[in-house]
Amino acid sequence: SYVVTQPPSVSVAPGKTARITCGGTNIGDKSVHWYQQKPGQAPVLVISYDSDRPSGIPERFSGSNSGNTAALTISGVEAGDEADYYCHVWDSPTDYVFGPGTRVTVL
Amino acid sequence: VQLEESGGGVVQPGRSLRLSCAASGFTFSTYSMHWVRQAPGKGLEWVAVVSFDGTNENYADSVKGRFTISRDNSKNTLFLQMNSLRTEDTAVYYCARVVEEMATTGPIDYWGQGTLVTVSS
């Protein structure tokens, strides 16, 4: 089955930029979605189809996907962005894969 | 849109449990649905998906042959029948909706709050 990797943690100062990667073989050929999950809550979709931002998600969240790496970028990080972030990939024909998750800590 | 899971609890290894997910606020019969689980302190793990009309199902290798996903569109309800439970099946189980009507793949836009299943002797 398809395997994706994420860094376990990313630390960032308020106002700076956090970049969370999702690695996989030729992941650029697939659609990647990103979810934010805060403690005790269900996940929330923050980026779909590599770079689309759902309604209500701040412009500070953006995504990219090329080659073997997809990325979620959070610009102007705020304290409220502290959470776990998961990438999500569908690998034909029937493999739905979540990354292991990245904990973002705001310093 | 609301998704409300029920049926979780404590069960012994080898026993069975059936989870339900009551859906409201949207046309349930036009959306594919997933079950996704999260073991305590761990990440998200996809479990199963069923197409909007119930004709197609897919499972993670970890549950294939033990779990069955199904739906009753007349009652706006999603199910997960879990047999031969193992301690490693202990997790919060979420039901979740695929964002696009009639699609099986694609992102998930709505999640329930989850129901905890604990498999322990």
Side-chain angles (χ1 to χ4, degrees):
Chain A
S1 61
Y2 192 72
V3 175
V4 296
T5 60
Q6 293 183 239
S9 62
V10 168
S11 297
V12 59
K16 300 299 185 182
T17 296
R19 185 173 185 264
I20 305 158
T21 58
C22 179
T25 303
N26 297 322
I27 199 171
D29 295 335
K30 307 178 190 301
S31 291
V32 179
H33 320 298
W34 291 92
Y35 304 89
Q36 175 195 70
Q37 187 181 34
K38 297 182 179 179
Q41 297 183 19
V44 172
L45 180 67
V46 294
I47 291 289
S48 62
Y49 296 107
D50 299 338
S51 58
D52 291 344
R53 202 172 43 252
S55 173
I57 301 301
E59 292 184 8
R60 303 183 292 102
F61 290 83
S62 62
S64 64
N65 187 15
S66 179
N68 294 318
T69 304
L72 171 69
T73 301
I74 312 172
S75 305
V77 167
E78 301 176 356
D81 298 330
E82 191 162 279
D84 295 326
Y85 291 83
Y86 297 90
C87 60
H88 177 209
V89 181
W90 174 69
D91 184 49
S92 175
T94 60
D95 206 359
Y96 301 79
V97 180
F98 286 98
T102 297
R103 175 152 297 177
V104 170
T105 300
V106 181
L107 301 172
Chain B
V1 173
Q2 286 197 328
L3 300 170
E4 186 171 355
E5 302 92 341
S6 61
V10 180
V11 61
Q12 293 179 327
R15 303 298 291 267
S16 299
L17 205 60
R18 189 193 199 201
L19 305 183
S20 300
C21 172
S24 60
F26 66 103
T27 305
F28 181 70
S29 61
T30 62
Y31 289 86
S32 297
M33 299 292 295
H34 290 273
W35 286 99
V36 177
R37 68 184 181 184
Q38 187 168 35
K42 302 297 184 182
L44 301 173
E45 180 188 12
W46 173 71
V47 173
V49 64
V50 62
S51 59
F52 63 95
D53 56 4
T55 59
N56 286 296
E57 309 154 25
N58 287 303
Y59 300 90
D61 288 343
S62 58
V63 307
K64 199 171 294 182
R66 300 188 299 123
F67 289 12
T68 302
I69 188 172
S70 63
R71 62 192 299 159
D72 185 340
N73 284 345
S74 69
K75 297 182 178 178
N76 293 341
T77 305
L78 175 73
F79 301 101
L80 185 68
Q81 178 66 43
M82 304 185 294
N83 298 333
S84 303
L85 281 161
R86 305 168 180 168
T87 55
E88 55 264 37
D89 295 319
T90 294
V92 172
Y93 284 74
Y94 295 100
C95 69
R97 190 187 85 165
V98 175
V99 68
E100 295 174 4
E101 288 185 280
M102 309 299 187
T104 303
T105 61
I108 292 169
D109 61 349
Y110 286 98
W111 302 68
Q113 283 306 304
T115 186
L116 176 62
V117 173
T118 302
V119 184
S120 174
S121 55

